[in-house]
Amino acid sequence: MDLVHGYLQMPLNEEARAKTAFITPDETGEFTRAIFGLMNAPFYSSKLMQLAMGPLRGQVALFYLDDILIPGKDWTDLMTILQMVLEALRKAKLTIKLSKCEFGTQEWNTSGSL
């Protein structure tokens, strides 16, 4: 599974927002959500996923940044684990991008393209 807009699901506190300030000829602004390229975004993304997955992490779900792998012994096992993972994501208010998710595959593509 893949989270939609990865870092953009992480709100920034006031101190972090100030560090994202930008100026254009027409306006100034700050980001309210984490963006790609922030130095500590991968660390905090991983921390967020660890909190969201709680006791599921490393036991029934593996993740790296915004990607989640859910191995299962059989279809019934997979559905049980998938329900637990989806519930954990719902509680953490994180959403997945269905078009980038694959369910029930026997193997996965590691080349980075589908």
Side-chain angles (χ1 to χ4, degrees):
M1 294 191 317
D2 193 15
L3 294 182
V4 66
H5 303 299
Y7 298 150
L8 289 174
Q9 293 194 52
M10 297 186 311
L12 296 174
N13 63 28
E14 289 297 322
E15 184 181 345
R17 288 178 187 178
K19 294 175 183 172
T20 68
F22 60 90
I23 300 172
T24 70
D26 301 320
E27 63 183 315
T28 61
E30 297 175 345
F31 287 95
T32 59
R33 305 245 189 236
I35 56 172
F36 184 78
L38 292 179
M39 186 171 83
N40 290 327
F43 168 78
Y44 285 105
S45 174
S46 182
K47 191 173 181 177
L48 173 64
M49 288 299 291
Q50 288 177 23
L51 290 171
M53 290 292 108
L56 301 177
R57 75 174 199 257
Q59 301 299 316
V60 297
L62 309 168
F63 63 87
Y64 178 73
L65 298 177
D66 66 342
D67 296 320
I68 304 168
L69 178 64
I70 305 169
K73 297 175 192 152
D74 54 39
W75 189 255
T76 304
D77 187 45
L78 180 62
M79 290 298 104
T80 301
I81 295 168
L82 179 61
Q83 184 174 3
M84 290 188 305
V85 169
L86 290 173
E87 181 63 24
L89 291 172
R90 186 188 66 75
K91 283 182 181 177
K93 297 184 172 136
L94 297 172
T95 56
I96 59 172
K97 186 169 188 171
L98 283 175
S99 64
K100 291 183 76 180
C101 296
E102 290 186 44
F103 299 98
T105 58
Q106 299 266 337
E107 54 188 59
W108 63 94
N109 181 352
T110 58
S111 68
S113 61
L114 296 175

